[in-house]
Amino acid sequence: MSEAIDLPVASPGPARLGNRVWTLVAALLGLVLIAGIAIGAPMLGSLGIAPDFSARLAEPSLAHWFGTDPFGHDMLARTVHGLNVSLWVGLVAASISVVIATALAIFAATCGRWADAVVAFLVDTAMGLPHLVLLILISFALGGGTTAVIIAVAVTHWPRLTRILRAEILQLRQADFIIAARRMGRSWGHIGFRHILPHLWPQILVGLVLLFPHAILHEAALTFLGFGLEPSRPAIGVLLADSLRYLMAGKWWLGLFPGLCLLMLVLCFDAIGNGLRLLADPRQGQL
C-alpha cells in the first residue's frame, strides 16, 4: 500500500484578509461617492430647494427621483444637503472627541497614579450614564442648535477610545526607547508628545473613523427628537421627523430615502473603520 501523503492545508488568514481589503476598497469608493455628492451640495445653491406647490407630495419619478415634500421641495436635493450637514457635524464632533481621548490617555499614563485614577473615574462616570439621555441633557442645557449638538456629541464619545489609547500607552512605557529616554532625564510630558504620540496615530485614525458614524447617528437622533439642529436646516434628522406625520398617509418616500442614505453613509464609515483596524493590527489577518 502506498503511504498517505499529507497535503499542506492553506491558512484561511490571507484569504480572509484579502476579502476584508476588498470590502475596505468598496466602502471607500462608496464613501467617496456619497461624500463627494454631499460636499458638492452647497455648489448647487438653492437648486431643488425652492418650493414648488404644483408638485406637492409627488411620488418618486424621473423628474423627482426621491419625490417631493408637502411644500414641493425636491427630496433628493434636501437629502443631499442634509448629508452635507451631517458630515460636517460628525467630522467636527468626532475630531474633538479624539483630541479629548488622546489628551486624557496621555495624561493618565504619564502623570502618575493620581492622574490615572482621575481619568478612570471620569471614564467610568461617563460610561455609566445613559448615553442618549446625557446627549439630550447637554444639548437642551446649551439651547439646542448646531453648536450645542457638536458639543454634546463631542463630550460623550471619548471614553472607549480613551481606554484603548491608555492601554496602548501602558504597553509603550515598557519599550526600550521609552526607558532610555527616561534614563536620559526626559520628562513624561516630552516623552508623551515626542515618542508616544507618533506611535498612537494608527489607533487615533481608526478611532476617528469609527467615531464618525456614531456622531452622525446621534446628531440625527437628537435632531429627530427635537433637541438638535434647527428645523429650518435640511438635516437628515429634520427630514425624518417631518416625515412622521405623512407616513401613515402612504407618503413612504419622505422617510425611506433619507433614512437609506444615512444608513449607507454610516455603513461605509463602519466598514472603513473595521478595515483600517485590521490593517493596523496585522495579527488579525491570522484569525
Side-chain angles (χ1 to χ4, degrees):
M1 295 179 62
S2 59
E3 296 182 358
I5 300 176
D6 295 331
L7 297 176
V9 179
S11 173
R16 182 174 298 181
L17 178 62
N19 293 335
R20 293 181 180 179
V21 170
W22 281 113
T23 302
L24 173 61
V25 172
L28 280 171
L29 293 176
L31 178 61
V32 169
L33 177 62
I34 297 174
I37 295 175
I39 294 174
M43 301 179 183
L44 301 177
S46 60
L47 182 63
I49 299 297
D52 181 9
F53 292 100
S54 63
R56 294 176 63 251
L57 295 175
E59 296 185 359
S61 62
L62 293 178
H64 302 284
W65 290 4
F66 287 8
T68 62
D69 67 3
F71 298 97
H73 301 124
D74 184 78
M75 286 300 297
L76 175 58
R78 297 203 74 193
T79 300
V80 170
H81 281 77
L83 290 176
N84 177 273
V85 174
S86 296
L87 279 172
W88 285 114
V89 172
L91 176 61
V92 175
S95 300
I96 296 175
S97 290
V98 168
V99 172
I100 295 174
T102 305
L104 288 177
I106 295 177
F107 175 71
T110 60
C111 293
R113 293 184 177 179
W114 68 271
D116 187 57
V118 170
V119 173
F121 173 76
L122 293 175
V123 170
D124 293 338
T125 302
M127 295 185 67
L129 296 173
H131 196 69
L132 186 57
V133 174
L134 184 60
L135 281 167
I136 293 174
L137 289 176
I138 295 175
S139 181
F140 180 77
L142 296 176
T146 305
T147 303
V149 170
I150 292 175
I151 295 175
V153 174
V155 300
T156 56
H157 284 71
W158 53 267
R160 294 185 184 277
L161 182 58
T162 300
R163 281 186 169 179
I164 295 173
L165 295 179
R166 174 185 169 276
E168 186 70 20
I169 294 174
L170 290 178
Q171 290 183 352
L172 286 174
R173 288 183 58 173
Q174 308 304 319
D176 293 338
F177 65 95
I178 299 295
I179 297 175
R182 284 294 294 167
R183 290 179 178 177
M184 293 176 63
R186 301 296 186 183
S187 65
W188 276 117
H190 179 274
I191 293 174
F193 288 97
R194 294 295 298 273
H195 299 290
I196 294 179
L197 186 59
H199 286 78
L200 295 179
W201 281 117
Q203 288 79 9
I204 291 175
L205 178 60
V206 172
L208 175 63
V209 176
L210 289 176
L211 281 177
F212 214 115
H214 289 276
I216 292 175
L217 282 177
H218 284 119
E219 173 270 317
L222 281 175
T223 305
F224 177 79
L225 295 173
F227 298 97
L229 303 182
E230 301 85 352
S232 59
R233 304 197 67 175
I236 298 297
V238 173
L239 299 182
L240 294 176
D242 291 343
S243 68
L244 283 181
R245 69 190 71 175
Y246 298 99
L247 290 179
M248 296 301 295
K251 313 303 180 184
W252 50 269
W253 60 88
L254 296 177
L256 176 64
F257 293 116
L260 283 179
C261 290
L262 179 64
L263 178 62
M264 290 174 59
L265 181 64
V266 169
L267 289 178
C268 285
F269 273 109
D270 187 65
I272 292 172
N274 290 328
L276 290 176
R277 181 168 55 188
L278 170 67
L279 297 179
D281 185 6
R283 293 172 297 179
Q284 296 290 332
Q286 305 300 322
L287 299 179

